[in-house]
């Protein structure tokens, strides 16, 4: 069932989203060669606590950490770990913040030190694809319009868009209906309505879109070993343009 959100719920999610955007700003300052994703995990945990929020991912389906930290060919659900990041790596930090019952979910891929032009292009295309998807998230459009815009753009650049993981409705729990694939056909799927809150979170691989699952049962990585990036926002469908909840107020 799809939950349309009340004004009060939306206000709480907006506050959670603002805090999450601030947290990403702090992460950006901290990501550099020599720092580990465990350092980032510890920072995020403390930052959320300090601001009266909790990490919704911790304990979710047995997941143990506040953040997902996916390095290079890892697509998503990488575990934070103590290995230092190296110059030229990319790392996706994904997290769900709970502030007074309002949830917000956002992921960003960060470049560690200097990355190649090829990698910069991957990050650029992935971020642009997110905003192309968001543009389609308007009343009257369908879920397939979002996926189609993303897929057409990403594949036009010669990259692969991951199909095994999708965006989703969010609130009161992390994963609610509807599913929001980052591929698809225009005019297909559920019609978007005012008051729906969804995530759009394209994962883009330099190579093939296919993924494999690590033996830890969580971490997905590219089948061909190519690099993978991801940008994610939580947004509200309104009677006008979509409202991005996971940006600074
Ligand atoms: N933030 C992830 C998403 O975008 C959810 C991860 S759930 C976890 O869907 F348990 F793996 F953390
Ligand atoms: Co997320």
């Amino acid at each position: 069932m799809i939950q349309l959100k009340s004004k009060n719920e939306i206000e709480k999610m907006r506050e959670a989203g603002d805090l999450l955007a601030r947290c990403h700003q702090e992460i950006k300052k901290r990501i550099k060669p020599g720092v580990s994703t465990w350092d980032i995990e510890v920072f995020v945990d403390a930052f959320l606590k300090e601001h009266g929020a909790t990490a919704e991912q911790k304990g979710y389906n047995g997941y143990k950490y506040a953040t997902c930290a996916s390095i290079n060919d890892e697509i998503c659900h990488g575990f934070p770990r103590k290995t230092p990041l190296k110059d030229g790596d990319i790392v996706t930090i994904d997290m769900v913040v709970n502030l007074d019952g309002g949830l917000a979910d956002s992921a960003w891929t960060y470049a560690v030190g200097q990355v190649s032009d090829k990698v910069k292009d991957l990050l650029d295309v992935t971020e642009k694809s997110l905003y192309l998807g968001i543009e389609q998230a308007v009343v009257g459009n369908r879920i397939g319009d979002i996926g189609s815009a993303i897929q057409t753009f990403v594949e036009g650049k010669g990259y692969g868009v991951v199909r095994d993981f999708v965006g989703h409705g969010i609130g009161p729990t992390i994963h609610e209906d509807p599913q929001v694939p980052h591929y698809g056909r225009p005019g297909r799927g559920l019609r978007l309505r005012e008051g729906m809150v969804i995530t759009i979170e394209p994962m883009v691989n330099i190579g093939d879109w296919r993924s494999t699952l690590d033996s830890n049962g969580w971490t997905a990585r590219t089948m061909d070993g190519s690099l993978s990036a991801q940008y994610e926002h939580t947004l509200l469908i309104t009677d006008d343009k979509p409202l991005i909840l996971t940006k600074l107020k």
Side-chain angles (χ1 to χ4, degrees):
M1 209 192 63
I2 291 164
Q3 311 255 357
L4 300 179
K5 304 294 186 285
S6 70
K7 238 184 135 178
N8 181 44
E9 284 170 305
I10 290 163
E11 196 38 53
K12 283 187 178 184
M13 295 180 92
R14 183 71 191 91
E15 290 298 333
D18 178 63
L19 183 63
L20 179 41
R22 276 154 57 202
C23 190
H24 271 304
Q25 273 194 329
E26 293 300 320
I27 291 169
K28 190 179 169 98
K29 289 186 210 158
R30 285 169 170 77
I31 297 267
K32 44 172 83 81
V35 167
S36 74
T37 51
W38 184 254
D39 298 330
I40 300 299
E41 166 76 11
V42 169
F43 165 74
V44 167
D45 223 21
F47 180 90
L48 296 184
K49 205 169 278 166
E50 193 184 314
H51 292 89
T54 54
E56 190 72 6
Q57 293 186 160
K58 235 188 225 188
Y60 181 76
N61 289 340
Y63 190 76
K64 287 203 187 74
Y65 311 101
T67 61
C68 296
S70 307
I71 302 170
N72 294 337
D73 65 327
E74 294 170 354
I75 294 170
C76 63
H77 305 159
F79 293 169
R81 72 207 89 153
K82 290 187 175 155
T83 322
L85 293 164
K86 300 185 308 296
D87 191 53
D89 283 346
I90 55 173
V91 57
T92 304
I93 307 291
D94 185 7
M95 77 191 90
V96 182
V97 168
N98 182 333
L99 184 62
D100 196 20
L103 299 192
D105 186 358
S106 173
W108 293 94
T109 300
Y110 298 95
V112 181
Q114 283 300 321
V115 298
S116 66
D117 287 348
K118 198 173 152 186
V119 172
K120 280 184 193 149
D121 187 66
L122 171 70
L123 302 187
D124 193 50
V125 166
T126 309
E127 185 173 5
K128 281 205 180 109
S129 79
L130 166 60
Y131 287 99
L132 289 172
I134 291 174
E135 254 174 44
Q136 295 297 318
V138 293
V139 169
N141 268 8
R142 291 177 184 270
I143 292 284
D145 295 310
I146 297 172
S148 166
I150 293 169
Q151 183 181 18
T152 304
F153 179 67
V154 167
E155 291 182 353
K157 298 287 182 182
Y159 297 136
V161 65
V162 171
R163 303 191 194 174
D164 300 332
F165 301 89
V166 297
H168 49 89
I170 175 168
T173 73
I174 297 186
H175 291 135
E176 302 269 346
D177 288 338
Q179 295 203 349
V180 184
H182 307 106
Y183 60 91
R185 291 167 62 187
R188 297 294 178 95
L190 183 91
R191 207 179 273 285
L192 298 170
R193 291 173 60 192
E194 189 179 343
M196 285 172 55
V197 176
I198 60 171
T199 74
I200 302 180
E201 48 181 302
M203 286 143 270
V204 174
N205 304 344
I206 286 189
D208 194 275
W209 61 268
R210 288 174 184 82
S211 67
T212 59
L213 193 65
D214 281 7
S215 57
N216 67 18
W218 278 100
T219 310
R221 63 179 72 235
T222 60
M223 209 175 70
D224 62 8
S226 69
L227 298 183
S228 185
Q230 179 184 26
Y231 292 85
E232 171 183 25
H233 272 311
T234 299
L235 51 118
L236 169 72
I237 314 295
T238 77
D239 62 356
D240 190 29
K241 284 192 192 121
L243 176 65
I244 298 174
L245 300 174
T246 39
K247 67 175 187 192
L248 296 176
K249 266 185 128 170

